[in-house]
Amino acid sequence: QGLFVVDSSRGVVTGNRCAGNGRIPTSWLFGAQIALQNTDTTEVVGNRLTVPAVASHGVVLMQQDRGTHLCTDNLVRDNDIDFLGSAGVCGAAADSAAERMIGNRFDGNRYRARESVDQHWAWAGRSMDFVAFQAAGQERSGSLVIDAGR
């Protein structure tokens, strides 16, 4: 696990370089470079992340049954995220009260991946490619560069 923010409010995660965290396979979205769990009104901005080829993730928002804290109104923007393989995701998931996980946004991030069909994004309970992530209302000004030679 890289940077892990839990049960917090009104924070900023910025200016970090995270690479190689989460190399051991775990369940769900654990093992991310940056994770917000049951955290609200927090901004993840201006970070450079390298996601290993296996068993890791980029920026994830997680909501679990942890009392009153909900994962809401977070903004993930203007980060550089490099996927070294076909595994790993950026996005959000809930295993409790998913309908209350509102106001979270990913926008303006720059991604690099090996294939355009790689499902590096998770939203509304499913994995998806970048086009579907945009269709789900995320990354309206984000970009994906394909580098098959990685």
Side-chain angles (χ1 to χ4, degrees), residues 4-13 35-43 62 66 68-74:
F4 197 44
V5 181
V6 182
D7 296 343
S8 296
S9 225
R10 297 182 186 96
V12 177
V13 179
L36 304 183
Q37 182 182 34
N38 292 65
T39 292
D40 70 88
T41 323
T42 295
E43 190 171 19
M62 300 184 292
R66 299 179 57 87
T68 60
H69 276 97
L70 295 174
C71 190
T72 60
D73 301 313
N74 297 296

Side-chain angles (χ1 to χ4, degrees), residues 42-121:
T42 295
E43 190 171 19
V44 178
V45 59
N47 300 285
R48 295 182 56 94
L49 311 178
T50 302
V51 181
V54 294
S56 185
H57 303 293
V59 179
V60 298
L61 310 177
M62 300 184 292
Q63 181 164 293
Q64 293 188 293
D65 186 8
R66 299 179 57 87
T68 60
H69 276 97
L70 295 174
C71 190
T72 60
D73 301 313
N74 297 296
L75 175 59
V76 179
R77 68 171 179 89
D78 300 320
N79 298 286
D80 290 303
I81 302 163
D82 193 2
F83 290 101
L84 297 182
S86 60
V89 300
C90 283
D95 67 3
S96 174
E99 71 282 356
R100 295 177 63 198
M101 192 176 182
I102 59 172
N104 295 304
R105 291 184 299 133
F106 281 71
D107 199 19
N109 297 294
R110 293 162 301 279
Y111 301 94
R112 290 177 69 124
R114 294 175 59 186
E115 302 283 339
S116 63
V117 296
D118 285 347
Q119 296 194 344
H120 285 303
W121 296 270

